[in-house]
Amino acid sequence: MFPSPSLPAATVPLDRAGILVGSFLLLLVGAEVFTNGVEWLGQRLGISESATGSILAALGTALPETLIPVIAILQGGSAADDIGVGAILGAPLLLATVAMFLVGASAYLFAGRREADEAVRYPPESTERDLSVFLFAYVLAVAAAFVPSHLVSVGIAVVLVGLYAVYVHRSVRSGDLVDGDDMDDHYLGKIVERGLGAAGIESERDNGSDPHSLLVGLQTLLALGFIVLGAQLFVTEIEFFSETVLSVPAAVVSLLLAPLATELPETFNSVLWMARGSDTLALGNITGAMVFQSTIPVTLGILFTSWDLSLQWGTTGFLNALSAVLALVSAGLVYRRVRSADGRELRPAPFLLGGVLYVGFVAFALYAVLVLGASTV
């Protein structure tokens, strides 16, 4: 085994702590503005509510965590491979456990203001499709780490990209159009209306309740900018504090802390949608992101990193493999419950199990680092 890392006493710089808090608030604001913008974007593009959550919301909020391994791979360096692999594997773990937990917890927390009370309403076809694609794709991705042939690994990567393309095509063709009457006024449109009113200009349309398509696109892009900037700042500061104050391995930082920061948009968006009773968008945002994370980023990992998943005890590769197994277990439990429900409303309990699995993983990761001195091989 490896020696346990020490935890040196360090003074926390106030300016870095301020940036950390500020980046977190920027993520919150970006998530709120994005949820509003992407609902209107889906309505303007004429695609279904389930596709709006599974594709538009999921792709947009997946950008921050996808950029981390890309940047790490491009920059290179001694820790680049560890950061890339950890960030890629950490995202599905967070989505399948913590994000699912928050769906169930939000159903309980906001029961008094929701039409469905504590029940979780979902589109059976798209939810089953998302979870089944995730389970199939992620099993393939994990298997790629253990096959001896590089050619087979490349073949798996090609299959994963093709699988996501088919998934997007089927998602866009399914479901019903988002109803504009059920959505909140467009934020940027309301600001424009107030500005025109203050200037004494009479508008031909109410851009709050019927925003121009340019305003819809602009707000969505601005919100994405907030999310990407906030996530990048948050990850930078988290890594600084981890390395300076805690001295933990880069692989563990990228597996636990980086995804925790970059997956905040998905979790915040889904909590906001659950509070508003938009369960389809809330759940589709998470399951759609899970499909994306189990296909496109893992393809980058298979092709351009060591894709370090191993069964060797006391290594970060073992932690990586365990994170993948727990993500599959958590998603599998929800998938089994969705199928057995046969379209009926779900109780929040199956979603809450993900939180238990994640807490257990964090506890083991801390044990592996502090007691076993886990390191890369």
Side-chain angles (χ1 to χ4, degrees), residues 214-246:
L214 289 177
L215 293 178
V216 172
L218 180 59
Q219 176 176 310
T220 306
L221 290 175
L222 287 173
L224 277 177
F226 291 157
I227 290 172
V228 171
L229 177 61
Q232 291 301 303
L233 288 174
F234 193 91
V235 169
T236 299
E237 298 310 308
I238 284 291
E239 290 179 345
F240 168 79
F241 283 108
S242 300
E243 295 172 0
T244 304
V245 180
L246 300 178

Side-chain angles (χ1 to χ4, degrees), residues 284-298:
N285 179 42
I286 294 171
T287 58
M290 289 168 63
V291 173
F292 177 81
Q293 294 294 345
S294 65
T295 53
I296 305 304
V298 299

